[in-house]
Amino acid sequence: MSKSVVVLVSFLLCYAVLHCDGAASDIQLDAKAQSTHRIDSLNLLSYTFLLILTVLTIWLFKHRRVSFLHETGLAVIYGLIVGAIIRYSGSPSHVLNMQVFANDPKYNSSLPPDTVSLHFPVKGPYVKTNKTFQYTFRGEIADPVENEIDLKATFDPEIFFNIILPPIIFHAGYSLKRKYFFRNLGAILTFAIIGTTISSFIVGALMYGFVQLMPAKLASSITFLDTLYFGALISSTDPLTILAIFNDLHVDVNLYALVFGESVLNDAVAIVLSGSIQNYEERYQSRSGGFETKAFFRAVGDFFGIFMLSLLIGAVMGCVTALISKFTRVRDFPLLESALFVLMSYSTFLIAEASELTGVVAVLFCGICQAHYTYNNLSDDTRVRTKQMFELLNFLAENFIFSYIGVSMFTFPKHHFDPLFILTGFTCAAIGRAANIYPLSFLLNLGRKPKIPANFQHMLFFAGLRGAMSFALAIRNTMSEARQAMLTTTSLIVIITVIIQGGATMNLLQWFQIPVGIDEETEALSHQGHNGNTTPRGDWNEISEPDLTRLNEKAFLARIWGSFDTRYMKPLLTHSRPTLLETLPVCCNPIARLLTTTEQMTQEGQNKPNRDSDSDLCIEENDFTNSDLRASSHRPIHSISGHQV
Amino acid sequence: MSKSVVVLVSFLLCYAVLHCDGAASDIQLDAKAQSTHRIDSLNLLSYTFLLILTVLTIWLFKHRRVSFLHETGLAVIYGLIVGAIIRYSGSPSHVLNMQVFANDPKYNSSLPPDTVSLHFPVKGPYVKTNKTFQYTFRGEIADPVENEIDLKATFDPEIFFNIILPPIIFHAGYSLKRKYFFRNLGAILTFAIIGTTISSFIVGALMYGFVQLMPAKLASSITFLDTLYFGALISSTDPLTILAIFNDLHVDVNLYALVFGESVLNDAVAIVLSGSIQNYEERYQSRSGGFETKAFFRAVGDFFGIFMLSLLIGAVMGCVTALISKFTRVRDFPLLESALFVLMSYSTFLIAEASELTGVVAVLFCGICQAHYTYNNLSDDTRVRTKQMFELLNFLAENFIFSYIGVSMFTFPKHHFDPLFILTGFTCAAIGRAANIYPLSFLLNLGRKPKIPANFQHMLFFAGLRGAMSFALAIRNTMSEARQAMLTTTSLIVIITVIIQGGATMNLLQWFQIPVGIDEETEALSHQGHNGNTTPRGDWNEISEPDLTRLNEKAFLARIWGSFDTRYMKPLLTHSRPTLLETLPVCCNPIARLLTTTEQMTQEGQNKPNRDSDSDLCIEENDFTNSDLRASSHRPIHSISGHQV
């Protein structure tokens, strides 16, 4: 069945291509834009076709219970095949490029123009006329002479940051299993922030050292900032494949939370870190070239400033959405409500980008806030709709980017293959990952009650697949040869880790003897000593101790936040109990009354829906009350499950 | 509440703008692309903000039961306000344009280049270097000297055809109430195809005549092809507003079907017609200039060829999706299934565009086929997900385009206000609409059993609001002054009709005494003479006659198609009964067995879901069996309801 579809689509594709060539001779000038449009359509069509193929194959794999390859791995492989076909077949459709010189006397800016009007003599069939065409700014290029860009099946790198990544990152935030995320907050933050920074600098330093030893001419052109940038981009992980398998197998939720939480946050850290490095480079490259202490601290300031401000914008917009959905009855019109939800989330990205902050980070924290607060206020229709829509968008965006990584290996003109450099890249990436996980796990285990056992550490190490973010950062700047070599290395690391590490996950789980088949509910029950139900769970069994020790398990940070959240944030932003009237001091009563809805006051009867969505709270207010805990844990948690494909 | 949001967003907006100005002095060359990106973000942000405002206001209107203004009208009004603010406030951020001349000796094509490399001397802080910047083709411009394009809040017109229109049109097809659509197929096709063509030519001819009488200099530059193009684009209608009100008030479903069906199809006709006119113009403008019989017939051929081929691609892709969803068990994985559905539908658009056909038409018929066949095979999850997603996309796209129409009245640089031309445009558009509805209704009533009463005709006339398609076609080409005047006229017609006609719908319904509050089910019941339930329904009461006369009511075309559909298409593409084994001749049994699923064979027990989705069939196989009919009509019709906002 699927074969006939393939045949049909290929036929139509061929028809379109042939038709395109056939018409090329009598192409009209006015049809120029139209022809560009057709090429764009064909490009997009080949990716759509790739994705359809991926979807059908993955269905076949799932149907036949083949599980050695995840859909992202498949998308990459198909991408590679199609890329090779595009590269080595068909006529090369080179882009016509013209060299022109700036000599417009009326132009008086020191910056390059936004648009260029080209006066071009057109040899029409009857008369030779001078026509004017407009060209828009695209960017600086390094070598104008040999610059025959092949437009075949490549896109502007900025598309990744503005179209592909935002839904992926938002979905990650929106589908976070917050209960376990917050419970492991300390470890996640340590791995994500400290770990990623360590990894970046170690990879950067090692790469720089190795490159200096290389005989290649590359060595002379690579600066420490270049390798540091590489360190930052290669330190972001993307464990889609692994999480999908974790999800299927019901791996321990805490391990899941660690892997997922770390990868989500280190994307944010990596993008801001690489941005700071870029800024540092741009500001100071023209001067001495050496290390500048002042500039370094400014870059550090940049890093924290941009990260915190982006986080703030995301959180504020999330809370504003929560407030709107709480205090208006927009939920009576689910379509309006969904539209509002999507628009507010998207505007978070835009506000951050327009303020020169990092939209991706803002959108991540917006997603977390939307899930944590707004979600509770939404109508059922909107909950389902937004969940399903972002799930689908995420699926499409993810598979698109992975098939693009595959295709671009062959079609992107700015690859630079240097085997030694690539080998070094692989080695350093592995060392950097190890330097993130093992030392920090050791330190964390000193203070942490449910320790991170060795097999979990190994799994964390292997979960460090590289993915969309690394690739997007690497392809952003391919001006110099050094950067091109980095793109090639990054692409290969992504491809290899996704296919090999992703495919080996099952075996690794067995190898490391990591328990599978653990239900979320079971896990929650085990906290209360109901051990009858649980499967043996290695070192983690020690957490099934009496409830009173549970408080020790929680990080100080998580405890403070959890209490603040339950007492002030939740009552303010959602319809949950206790209300602000109960938690705020008496003097604030008038304000508290204003901020408490009647629904909130009278919800005793309709407790269930709110309890349900509340069950992901990191700390229940009445943490000691055994009965209450039992009641909440007996209810299945309807939180959004990450990658359910 | 919503006020504080507005304040907050405006604050952030201001911050972004100020920040942007503040940084402008020390802008780095490498940050040029980034700055463009920031402006893009701000542009998008202003529209997102506009849409948020629209959503909140419309919620307030609905909440307070204000109904004199539909959301699209509101989006237009807000757009006008924001457009005026952008225009008359703030520093003009002019685009820097440079004139360059083609004198690259190595360039040897007679076509303008795809990219231009500009060598530009950069006066850096330390050294003056020659850098090279790349520019990409945008299009031909008429007057390079006075061409100071204002990039503020304007988009490439092609965005409408490639991003905004496809989901709107697909949704229209996907949400078609097929039962009533097919029942009125004859009238709808007549109005849409013949009517739109008549209207185009009448408007074109009238406009040309009027313009020749005008004293303005415009007269000399306008050709008959220009006015014909205007006729085509102004003949497409977009009765969103009216349909939303029809939906709320439960206006007679046949009237609904006529208005909706006609508007959906005349969009398709208008876009193909204008394309043919454009082609005719491009091919023959440089020759004699007069009327060319051969060329005219080629244009007519173009019209039918493009329309039919686009229709075919859409229908084929829809059927292929149906086949895939029937013969694979992809429905076991709803996410994969939804992804497949979306990808197949999107690739329909791309295939048509890549083949130089009309993607919008293809996507419309793809939507109809997806709803008619594929929908029956989908899992519940995918049904809900795709319905809700396209509903939301449609909502956002629609409101975006209407707010853009408002904003662009002030910010789009290529408007040409000519009061006389605008007045003529309004008059001709109204005459054209009348020339479509009244004569054709008269002719249709000669052969039609349930006649179209006069009040329905008036309502059809007034339902001719102009909308997204007219605007998108008008803004596509604004090279000449004539075309600019047409854009202005079209924009104004859209704005006025949406606000005034849209707002007056309620009163018009009362005025024309059109019965409201009619349930679909009630309508279906009345076919069997169960008149007890129905409200008096004017002329249309005559259809509630004995069942035997029902066959006469149906157009010959609809009857043929309905029978073919039930006997061959549905059994082939869905799991419905009868199977092909029963309908195909005995000699084809082997093939029939291959094309019949076991699910189809054994579905007697699980009859209900299939019957349910089948109830929109235009003709039941057993049309005479009264009991069967009653059984089917007692079941509420769960078809997708169009505009439920």
Side-chain angles (χ1 to χ4, degrees):
Chain A
M1 181 54 241
S2 59
K3 260 188 201 163
S4 68
V5 181
V6 173
V7 171
L8 186 93
V9 174
S10 341
F11 170 77
L12 282 166
L13 219 69
C14 289
Y15 166 75
V17 173
L18 288 174
H19 197 73
C20 152
D21 283 348
S25 57
D26 65 336
I27 193 167
Q28 301 285 319
L29 273 176
D30 294 316
K32 176 99 192 180
Q34 202 182 334
S35 129
T36 318
H37 169 64
R38 224 175 48 250
I39 292 170
D40 286 347
S41 300
L42 273 176
N43 273 351
L44 276 177
L45 188 58
S46 45
Y47 286 104
T48 316
F49 174 60
L50 252 173
L51 289 184
I52 292 175
L53 215 64
T54 309
V55 168
L56 286 177
T57 319
I58 216 64
W59 164 74
L60 215 66
F61 276 25
K62 279 181 186 279
H63 190 63
R64 301 239 178 279
R65 305 196 182 285
V66 180
S67 65
F68 61 86
L69 202 55
H70 182 61
E71 65 215 26
T72 49
L74 203 77
V76 168
I77 292 173
Y78 276 137
L80 285 170
I81 295 170
V82 169
I85 293 173
I86 294 178
R87 167 85 166 258
Y88 298 113
S89 77
S91 55
S93 66
H94 282 304
V95 169
L96 296 170
N97 183 47
M98 182 189 274
Q99 312 282 327
V100 293
F101 293 87
N103 52 3
D104 183 354
K106 273 180 284 181
Y107 190 83
N108 52 12
S109 166
S110 65
L111 289 173
D114 299 293
T115 58
V116 161
S117 305
L118 174 72
H119 297 262
F120 186 83
V122 173
K123 298 171 199 75
Y126 304 99
V127 65
K128 183 173 168 175
T129 47
N130 242 316
K131 290 204 170 188
T132 313
F133 298 96
Q134 195 167 44
Y135 291 79
T136 48
F137 188 82
R138 200 175 175 196
E140 193 184 343
I141 45 174
D143 193 347
V145 182
E146 67 167 36
N147 193 271
E148 285 222 342
I149 299 175
D150 214 338
L151 271 187
K152 274 193 297 194
T154 58
F155 295 99
D156 186 343
E158 289 306 308
I159 282 182
F160 296 113
F161 288 93
N162 302 317
I163 297 172
I164 310 291
L165 285 180
I168 296 182
I169 303 283
F170 182 83
H171 179 72
Y174 195 46
S175 68
L176 207 65
K177 291 187 174 172
R178 279 149 291 131
K179 186 176 183 179
Y180 298 97
F181 177 77
F182 283 116
R183 202 174 273 172
N184 294 289
L185 193 63
I188 290 172
L189 286 179
T190 312
F191 285 130
I193 299 180
I194 305 177
T196 307
T197 316
I198 291 177
S199 162
S200 304
F201 277 89
I202 285 188
V203 173
L206 280 178
M207 281 297 279
Y208 190 67
F210 278 128
V211 164
Q212 295 307 314
L213 298 176
M214 281 185 197
K217 64 163 182 165
L218 212 59
S220 59
S221 71
I222 286 187
T223 66
F224 179 61
L225 282 175
D226 281 335
T227 57
L228 197 59
Y229 185 82
F230 179 72
L233 70 88
I234 212 70
S235 297
S236 93
T237 60
D238 186 356
L240 297 172
T241 319
I242 289 192
L243 287 180
I245 296 169
F246 279 17
N247 223 359
D248 289 350
L249 297 183
H250 297 282
V251 168
D252 185 287
V253 277
N254 287 297
L255 178 60
Y256 187 100
L258 280 180
V259 170
F260 189 49
E262 190 231 331
S263 83
V264 163
L265 286 184
N266 73 14
D267 275 4
V269 172
I271 192 173
V272 178
L273 198 60
S274 61
S276 309
I277 295 168
Q278 197 93 24
N279 283 349
Y280 176 88
E281 194 174 5
E282 270 166 20
R283 284 205 195 101
Y284 307 101
Q285 63 179 353
S286 46
R287 294 197 197 161
S288 62
F291 179 78
E292 304 208 12
T293 325
K294 216 171 168 184
F296 174 75
F297 281 109
R298 186 155 171 197
V300 173
D302 256 20
F303 172 76
F304 284 105
I306 290 178
F307 192 90
M308 294 317 289
L309 278 176
S310 305
L311 188 155
L312 194 72
I313 286 186
V316 166
M317 289 301 285
C319 293
V320 168
T321 317
L323 285 173
I324 295 178
S325 58
K326 180 182 174 187
F327 288 103
T328 68
R329 299 261 334 150
V330 71
R331 113 197 54 164
D332 296 342
F333 305 95
L335 181 58
L336 291 180
E337 196 189 20
S338 324
L340 190 70
F341 185 89
V342 171
L343 288 169
M344 291 297 286
S345 306
Y346 184 52
S347 69
T348 306
F349 175 78
L350 292 174
I351 290 173
E353 287 290 312
S355 325
E356 292 203 308
L357 299 171
T358 312
V360 166
V361 176
V363 124
L364 168 66
F365 288 96
C366 176
I368 295 177
C369 285
Q370 301 283 37
H372 198 55
Y373 301 120
T374 315
Y375 191 77
N376 299 314
N377 305 336
L378 297 178
S379 63
D380 290 341
D381 183 322
T382 305
R383 288 185 189 189
V384 173
R385 195 194 300 244
T386 52
K387 259 199 268 178
Q388 291 192 334
M389 201 182 75
F390 283 108
E391 194 189 359
L392 182 59
L393 279 182
N394 173 61
F395 176 82
L396 292 175
E398 243 167 47
N399 283 294
F400 170 76
I401 205 168
F402 279 99
S403 59
Y404 186 74
I405 293 172
V407 171
S408 72
M409 272 314 283
F410 288 98
T411 61
F412 196 72
K414 289 171 177 173
H415 272 297
H416 182 89
F417 287 89
D418 185 326
L420 212 56
F421 190 86
I422 292 168
L423 209 68
T424 318
F426 268 90
T427 319
C428 293
I431 296 174
R433 182 75 191 159
N436 175 352
I437 299 299
Y438 294 109
L440 290 179
S441 300
F442 175 74
L443 289 177
L444 280 169
N445 278 346
L446 293 181
R448 205 178 141 89
K449 200 60 208 279
K451 299 205 185 304
I452 303 171
N455 57 349
F456 278 31
Q457 292 180 27
H458 299 324
M459 203 60 227
L460 273 170
F461 172 75
F462 276 105
L465 310 190
R466 270 58 170 194
M469 182 59 82
S470 300
F471 176 75
L473 284 172
I475 208 170
R476 200 169 207 179
N477 178 346
T478 48
M479 287 269 292
S480 67
E481 212 168 60
R483 287 297 169 94
Q484 293 177 14
M486 284 175 194
L487 168 64
T488 311
T489 311
T490 310
S491 299
L492 284 173
I493 291 179
V494 171
I495 293 173
I496 299 290
T497 54
V498 164
I499 297 176
I500 307 285
Q501 274 173 242
T505 309
M506 293 284 234
N507 302 324
L508 288 174
L509 283 174
Q510 286 187 339
W511 185 269
F512 295 135
Q513 295 181 317
I514 289 170
V516 296
I518 294 170
D519 213 18
E520 254 177 86
E521 204 174 345
T522 318
E523 207 282 335
L525 279 169
S526 78
H527 271 280
Q528 296 158 65
H530 291 254
N531 263 327
N533 259 340
T534 51
T535 40
R537 295 190 304 105
D539 288 4
W540 287 71
N541 262 335
E542 62 187 274
I543 42 174
S544 41
E545 281 166 15
D547 291 326
L548 280 172
T549 67
R550 279 193 65 215
L551 277 185
N552 297 329
E553 295 167 16
K554 278 168 194 148
F556 179 68
L557 196 74
R559 223 186 307 163
I560 296 277
W561 166 249
S563 151
F564 178 75
D565 187 50
T566 323
R567 293 177 69 85
Y568 304 110
M569 297 298 281
K570 284 238 164 190
L572 173 64
L573 298 171
T574 71
H575 294 295
S576 79
R577 304 279 297 215
T579 65
L580 283 178
L581 282 169
E582 298 161 56
T583 57
L584 279 181
V586 184
C587 61
C588 304
N589 252 358
I591 302 171
R593 193 160 296 139
L594 207 70
L595 295 172
T596 306
T597 56
T598 42
E599 196 180 339
Q600 212 168 345
M601 303 285 281
T602 59
Q603 67 166 347
E604 238 80 37
Q606 37 166 314
N607 213 359
K608 203 185 161 273
N610 275 306
R611 265 232 80 76
D612 227 32
S613 52
D614 250 8
S615 64
D616 45 39
L617 250 180
C618 56
I619 294 177
E620 318 273 319
E621 248 274 285
N622 26 23
D623 226 353
F624 293 94
T625 339
N626 218 334
S627 66
D628 187 86
L629 245 174
R630 194 165 306 158
S632 87
S633 60
H634 270 294
R635 209 165 275 133
I637 291 139
H638 288 300
S639 65
I640 313 148
S641 47
H643 301 263
Q644 277 180 324
V645 193
Chain B
M1 181 54 238
S2 60
K3 260 186 203 164
S4 68
V5 181
V6 172
V7 170
L8 186 93
V9 173
S10 339
F11 169 77
L12 281 166
L13 219 69
C14 289
Y15 166 75
V17 173
L18 288 175
H19 196 73
C20 150
D21 283 347
S25 58
D26 66 336
I27 192 167
Q28 301 286 318
L29 275 176
D30 295 316
K32 176 101 192 177
Q34 203 183 333
S35 129
T36 318
H37 169 64
R38 223 173 51 248
I39 293 170
D40 286 348
S41 299
L42 273 175
N43 273 351
L44 275 176
L45 189 57
S46 46
Y47 286 104
T48 316
F49 175 59
L50 250 172
L51 289 185
I52 291 174
L53 214 65
T54 310
V55 167
L56 286 177
T57 320
I58 217 65
W59 164 74
L60 214 67
F61 276 26
K62 279 182 187 276
H63 190 63
R64 302 238 177 280
R65 306 198 181 283
V66 180
S67 66
F68 60 86
L69 202 56
H70 183 60
E71 64 215 25
T72 49
L74 203 77
V76 169
I77 293 174
Y78 276 138
L80 285 170
I81 296 171
V82 169
I85 293 172
I86 293 178
R87 168 84 166 259
Y88 298 112
S89 76
S91 55
S93 65
H94 281 304
V95 168
L96 295 170
N97 183 46
M98 181 188 274
Q99 312 283 326
V100 294
F101 293 88
N103 53 3
D104 183 355
K106 273 181 285 180
Y107 190 83
N108 51 14
S109 167
S110 64
L111 289 172
D114 299 292
T115 58
V116 161
S117 305
L118 175 71
H119 297 263
F120 187 82
V122 174
K123 297 172 199 75
Y126 305 99
V127 65
K128 182 172 168 175
T129 47
N130 242 317
K131 290 203 170 190
T132 313
F133 298 96
Q134 194 167 44
Y135 290 79
T136 47
F137 188 83
R138 198 175 178 198
E140 193 183 341
I141 46 173
D143 194 346
V145 182
E146 66 168 38
N147 192 271
E148 285 222 345
I149 299 176
D150 214 337
L151 272 188
K152 276 193 296 194
T154 58
F155 296 99
D156 185 344
E158 289 306 308
I159 281 182
F160 296 113
F161 288 93
N162 301 319
I163 297 172
I164 311 292
L165 285 180
I168 297 181
I169 304 282
F170 182 84
H171 179 73
Y174 196 48
S175 68
L176 207 66
K177 292 188 174 172
R178 277 149 295 133
K179 186 176 181 178
Y180 299 96
F181 176 78
F182 284 116
R183 204 175 271 172
N184 295 288
L185 194 63
I188 289 172
L189 286 179
T190 313
F191 285 129
I193 299 179
I194 305 177
T196 307
T197 316
I198 291 177
S199 163
S200 304
F201 278 89
I202 285 188
V203 172
L206 280 178
M207 282 296 280
Y208 190 67
F210 279 127
V211 165
Q212 295 307 312
L213 300 174
M214 281 185 195
K217 65 164 182 165
L218 211 60
S220 59
S221 72
I222 286 186
T223 65
F224 179 61
L225 282 176
D226 281 336
T227 58
L228 196 59
Y229 186 82
F230 179 73
L233 71 89
I234 212 69
S235 297
S236 94
T237 60
D238 186 356
L240 297 173
T241 320
I242 291 192
L243 288 180
I245 296 168
F246 278 18
N247 224 359
D248 289 349
L249 297 181
H250 297 282
V251 168
D252 185 287
V253 277
N254 287 295
L255 178 59
Y256 186 99
L258 281 179
V259 170
F260 188 49
E262 190 231 332
S263 84
V264 164
L265 286 183
N266 72 16
D267 275 3
V269 173
I271 192 173
V272 178
L273 198 58
S274 61
S276 308
I277 295 167
Q278 197 93 25
N279 282 349
Y280 175 90
E281 195 174 4
E282 268 164 23
R283 283 205 197 102
Y284 307 100
Q285 65 179 351
S286 46
R287 297 196 196 161
S288 61
F291 179 78
E292 304 208 13
T293 325
K294 216 171 167 182
F296 173 75
F297 282 108
R298 186 155 170 199
V300 173
D302 257 18
F303 173 76
F304 284 105
I306 290 177
F307 193 89
M308 293 316 289
L309 277 176
S310 305
L311 188 156
L312 194 72
I313 285 185
V316 166
M317 289 300 286
C319 293
V320 168
T321 318
L323 284 174
I324 295 179
S325 58
K326 179 182 174 187
F327 288 103
T328 69
R329 301 261 334 152
V330 72
R331 113 197 54 164
D332 295 341
F333 305 95
L335 181 59
L336 291 180
E337 197 188 20
S338 322
L340 190 71
F341 185 90
V342 171
L343 288 169
M344 290 299 284
S345 307
Y346 183 54
S347 69
T348 307
F349 175 78
L350 292 174
I351 289 173
E353 288 290 311
S355 326
E356 292 204 310
L357 300 169
T358 313
V360 166
V361 177
V363 125
L364 167 66
F365 288 96
C366 176
I368 295 177
C369 285
Q370 301 283 37
H372 197 55
Y373 302 119
T374 314
Y375 190 77
N376 299 315
N377 305 336
L378 296 179
S379 63
D380 289 342
D381 183 324
T382 305
R383 287 184 188 189
V384 173
R385 194 195 299 243
T386 51
K387 260 199 269 177
Q388 291 192 334
M389 199 182 77
F390 283 109
E391 194 189 0
L392 182 60
L393 279 182
N394 174 61
F395 177 83
L396 292 176
E398 245 168 46
N399 283 294
F400 170 76
I401 206 168
F402 279 100
S403 58
Y404 186 74
I405 294 172
V407 171
S408 71
M409 273 313 284
F410 289 98
T411 61
F412 195 72
K414 289 171 176 173
H415 272 298
H416 181 91
F417 286 90
D418 185 326
L420 211 58
F421 190 86
I422 292 167
L423 209 69
T424 318
F426 268 91
T427 320
C428 292
I431 297 174
R433 181 75 191 161
N436 173 354
I437 299 299
Y438 294 109
L440 290 180
S441 299
F442 175 77
L443 288 176
L444 279 169
N445 277 346
L446 292 181
R448 205 179 141 90
K449 203 59 207 282
K451 298 205 186 303
I452 302 170
N455 55 351
F456 278 31
Q457 292 179 29
H458 299 323
M459 203 60 227
L460 273 170
F461 172 75
F462 276 105
L465 311 190
R466 270 59 169 194
M469 181 60 83
S470 300
F471 175 76
L473 285 172
I475 208 170
R476 199 169 208 181
N477 179 346
T478 48
M479 287 270 292
S480 67
E481 211 168 61
R483 288 295 168 94
Q484 293 176 14
M486 285 175 191
L487 169 63
T488 312
T489 311
T490 310
S491 298
L492 284 173
I493 292 180
V494 171
I495 293 172
I496 300 291
T497 54
V498 164
I499 296 176
I500 307 287
Q501 274 175 239
T505 309
M506 293 283 236
N507 303 324
L508 286 173
L509 282 175
Q510 286 187 339
W511 185 267
F512 296 135
Q513 297 181 318
I514 288 169
V516 295
I518 294 171
D519 210 19
E520 253 176 87
E521 204 177 347
T522 320
E523 208 281 339
L525 279 168
S526 77
H527 270 280
Q528 297 158 63
H530 292 254
N531 264 326
N533 260 339
T534 53
T535 40
R537 298 190 301 108
D539 288 4
W540 287 72
N541 260 335
E542 61 187 277
I543 41 173
S544 41
E545 281 167 14
D547 291 326
L548 280 173
T549 66
R550 280 191 64 214
L551 278 184
N552 297 329
E553 295 166 17
K554 280 170 191 147
F556 179 67
L557 196 74
R559 220 185 310 162
I560 296 277
W561 166 250
S563 149
F564 179 74
D565 188 48
T566 324
R567 293 176 68 86
Y568 305 111
M569 296 299 281
K570 284 239 166 191
L572 173 63
L573 298 171
T574 71
H575 294 295
S576 78
R577 306 277 299 212
T579 64
L580 283 178
L581 283 169
E582 298 161 56
T583 57
L584 280 180
V586 185
C587 61
C588 304
N589 252 358
I591 302 170
R593 192 158 300 139
L594 208 68
L595 296 173
T596 307
T597 55
T598 41
E599 195 181 341
Q600 213 167 346
M601 304 285 281
T602 58
Q603 66 165 346
E604 238 82 36
Q606 38 165 314
N607 214 359
K608 201 180 162 279
N610 276 305
R611 265 232 81 75
D612 226 32
S613 52
D614 250 5
S615 64
D616 44 38
L617 250 180
C618 58
I619 293 177
E620 319 271 321
E621 248 273 285
N622 27 24
D623 227 353
F624 293 93
T625 339
N626 218 334
S627 64
D628 187 87
L629 244 174
R630 195 164 307 157
S632 87
S633 60
H634 271 292
R635 208 164 276 134
I637 292 142
H638 288 299
S639 66
I640 314 149
S641 46
H643 301 264
Q644 276 178 326
V645 193

